[in-house]
Amino acid sequence: MDGLLAAQQPVILRGLASDWPLARAGRSGPHDAVAYLKGFDAGRPVVGYTGAPEIGGRYFYQDDLQALNFDAQRVPLGAYLDFALTLIGTDRPPSVYIGSTDLDAYLPGLGEENRLNFAASGDDRRDPPVVSIWMGNRTTAATHFDMSNNLACCLVGRRRFTLFPPDQIENLYPGPLEPTPGGQVVSLVDPSSPDLERFPRFAMAAEAGEVAELEPGDVLFYPALWWHNVEALDDFNAMINYWWNAAPAFMDTPMTTLTHGLLSLRGRPEAEKAAWKSLFDFYVFGEPAKATGHLPEAARGDLAPLDERAARRLRARVLQKLNR
């Protein structure tokens, strides 16, 4: 796993999960796959997303970008999966989608029978991977990024991932920070049918992008913050994914820093922003030794290597300053 992280590029691991029981059930057909999944149902309602036929399965915004184009409600898992089966073969069906559902909480035991031998790092300070399942019919998750590395295990139905490196953010025309279809900002461009008159820079993103066509049993690795558009291509689809970070668990999410940057930096004069950028490059993004090498170890304070105790101290100081 560390080799994949070092390369920082998407990689398809063909057939890695092809022998998993869920993949075998899927090869027998959607009804067998649903029957297998329902055998693990813990009876807890899940969030079911339903979209009208007019959205074409693409979970996105209304035209004004103020509201979403689908409904979400708590539903019984088994009944919702059965509903998905009734839509197979119908003309212009609604889209049904169960996204990012915790495997152990809602389908206990499924992860034990369908599991990667996961070894992201030997550092026991890091959180274990978060394992989720995604199920539904022909749906599309609009282009977005995750803050974690991802191993996406395509198990039932085919999937197409269209991926873009993090440096393409400007060319992807991100939408509002809130609301969002799934918790993360999404690109306003539909990669399958881009409007280049409205979004001309997307042509550069398309040149830098990659397309991963996944068959059942294939596993896709892609690094944190890579943008990805995900299309489920068959009448019923199921995918299990593993999210994890290579950073210690006591570190905060950088999204908090970005949000605070909007509050504290974005509105300042350009000259001040340039100066702050130099400070961030020196203290945050640069080599730590350059910021501390001239200081005695006892005098490094917050610049010393971060550990759990130091993280608690810094977090308390930040909270104190925010609550002024």
Side-chain angles (χ1 to χ4, degrees), residues 296-318:
E297 186 172 347
R300 292 175 182 174
D302 292 340
L303 298 176
L306 193 66
D307 57 22
E308 190 165 357
R309 181 179 179 184
R312 287 199 301 269
R313 184 175 63 245
L314 279 173
R315 190 174 295 110
R317 190 178 309 152
V318 169

Side-chain angles (χ1 to χ4, degrees), residues 94-156:
S95 60
V96 293
Y97 180 51
I98 299 171
S100 191
T101 298
D102 184 272
L103 204 61
D104 290 338
Y106 292 90
L107 293 161
L110 180 64
E112 297 299 322
E113 292 191 7
N114 302 266
R115 178 179 295 279
L116 286 177
N117 292 321
F118 193 92
S121 170
D123 190 340
D124 59 9
R125 300 178 304 167
R126 298 173 184 169
D127 285 334
V130 174
V131 188
S132 299
I133 190 165
W134 313 70
M135 298 169 284
N137 58 2
R138 297 176 187 266
T139 61
T140 298
T143 308
H144 63 286
F145 68 87
D146 301 320
M147 289 181 284
S148 301
N149 304 297
N150 198 321
L151 281 165
C153 308
C154 179
L155 298 170
V156 182

